[in-house]
Amino acid sequence: MILITGATGTVGRPLVAELAATGHPVRALTRASRTARFPAGVESCDSANPDLDGVTAVFVNPAALWRSEQTLFDAAKAAGVTRVVTLSSSSVLSGDSHHAVANRHRELEAAAESVAPEFVHLRPDAFAANARQWIGQVKSGDTVVGPYAQAVTAPVHEDDIAAVAARALTGGILSGEAPMLTGPQALSFTEQVRILGAALGRPLCYEEISHPAARDAMLSSPWMTEEIADSLLRYFASCVETPTPVSPDLERILGRRGRTFEDWAADRIAEFR
Ligand SMILES: NC(=O)c1ccc[n+]([C@@H]2O[C@H](COP(=O)([O-])OP(=O)(O)OC[C@H]3O[C@@H](n4cnc5c(N)ncnc54)[C@H](OP(=O)(O)O)[C@@H]3O)[C@@H](O)[C@H]2O)c1
C-alpha cells in the first residue's frame, strides 16, 4: 500500500491517478476524506488521522502536513514503512541560509531520512502551475504585473513531477538520491506570459513592478508571511543574475524529455479563459 499525503494537491492528484492506473494500491490522505473524489479503487483517508496499516511507501508533501510530519513519521516508522519520497524543493540547493522555504524543506529532508531505510528527495524548481497566480489578471486584461520580469526559472509540469514520484515510490530506484526536477527550458516571467498569450490566441505582456510593490501585493494574501515573501523575492532577484539551469535529472529518470511550458499552457489554458 502506498500512502499519498496532499493527495488533492498539485502533484498529489496526478500521482494518485498514475499509481491507480498502473494497478498500485493507494491510500489518499485529505482533510475532506468523505467528499474528495479519487479514481476507483483508491482508499480515501482523513489526513488528521492517517492509517499506516499495511503501508510500505509514503509520499510526503509538506504543504499538507503543516509541521505535523513528525506524527506521521513516527507512525510510519512503527508501521515498518520501507521507503519515503519527499516533495522537497530546489531551493535547498541555494546558498541562502535565511531562505524560509529552503530551510523548511531542509528540515523535512533531514527528518524523513530517519523514517525508513530508503528515502528519495524530489527537488522541483518552480512549478509551471505557479502560472495560475496570473489567472485573475489574464481574465481581466492583457497585462500581468509582477516582480523581476527577467527572472529565469525552469518551470516543471506537475504531471512530470508525479511521474518521477510514481517511479520513486514503486520502482525501487533512486534510493538516497535527490534529483532536481526542472522543465526542459529556462524561461523568464516575460517569456512565460508570452507563451500563455500564444495559447490563448491574444498577446499578453508582463509589466515589472518594484520589489516593495510586489512585496506589498504578496503580503495581501492571507497565507503569505514576511519571511516567505522576502525569501521568494530574493530568489527571483537571484534568478535575474543567475538563471536557473535546466537539470538533466528528470529526462534521465523518465527516459524522455520533460513537458515544456507550452505543453503546460495547452493542457491548462481553459482555466485562463
Ligand atoms: N510551487 C512551486 O513552485 C514549488 C516548487 C518547489 C517545491 N514546492 C513545494 O511543493 C509542495 C506543494 O505545494 P503546493 O502549494 O503545490 O501545495 P499542494 O500540493 O497543491 O497542496 C497540498 C494539499 O495540502 C492540503 N492542505 C492545504 N492546507 C492544509 C492545512 N492547513 N492542513 C492540512 N492539509 C492542508 C490540501 O489538501 P486537502 O484540502 O485535500 O486536505 C492540499 O491539496 C510544497 O512543499 C512546496 O514548497 C513548490
Side-chain angles (χ1 to χ4, degrees), residues 6 8-11 30-32 47 61-66 87-89 101 105 124-127 130:
T8 64
T10 311
V11 176
T30 168
R31 290 168 296 177
S47 52
N61 178 342
L65 293 168
W66 287 89
L87 181 57
S88 184
S89 161
V101 177
H105 290 94
D125 191 53
F127 292 1
N130 291 349

Side-chain angles (χ1 to χ4, degrees), residues 126-254:
F127 292 1
N130 291 349
R132 287 190 172 120
Q133 70 186 303
W134 299 325
I135 286 177
Q137 296 190 69
V138 170
K139 281 187 172 174
S140 61
D142 296 333
T143 303
V144 168
V145 298
Y148 298 107
Q150 296 312 317
V152 173
T153 62
V156 56
H157 197 306
E158 59 272 17
D159 291 356
D160 280 345
I161 305 173
V164 173
R167 296 210 181 185
L169 287 161
T170 61
I173 57 165
L174 303 174
S175 185
E177 290 189 39
M180 177 179 174
L181 304 179
T182 71
Q185 312 145 292
L187 296 167
S188 66
F189 289 141
T190 299
E191 290 167 321
Q192 291 177 37
V193 164
R194 187 186 45 72
I195 290 167
L196 283 175
L200 275 173
R202 64 184 163 93
L204 295 178
C205 69
Y206 190 94
E207 186 179 302
E208 182 169 311
I209 55 171
S210 70
H211 184 120
R215 187 176 189 273
D216 287 347
M218 288 165 93
L219 289 174
S220 68
S221 166
W223 56 266
M224 182 57 73
T225 67
E226 292 195 1
E227 219 186 359
I228 293 177
D230 290 337
S231 298
L232 289 174
L233 286 167
R234 274 203 311 279
Y235 167 66
F236 295 148
S238 76
C239 292
V240 176
E241 297 302 318
T242 311
T244 303
V246 169
S247 163
D249 292 352
L250 189 141
E251 185 166 343
R252 171 176 58 84
I253 295 163
L254 296 182

Side-chain angles (χ1 to χ4, degrees), residues 82-126:
T82 54
R83 180 167 275 239
V84 173
V85 176
T86 64
L87 181 57
S88 184
S89 161
S90 65
S91 63
V92 302
L93 300 167
S94 84
D96 183 351
S97 60
H98 301 292
H99 192 315
V101 177
N103 287 340
R104 166 82 176 111
H105 290 94
R106 288 181 184 122
E107 286 167 16
L108 176 89
E109 289 189 3
E113 289 178 15
S114 64
V115 174
E118 298 175 355
F119 57 85
V120 183
H121 303 308
L122 306 182
R123 293 176 172 170
D125 191 53

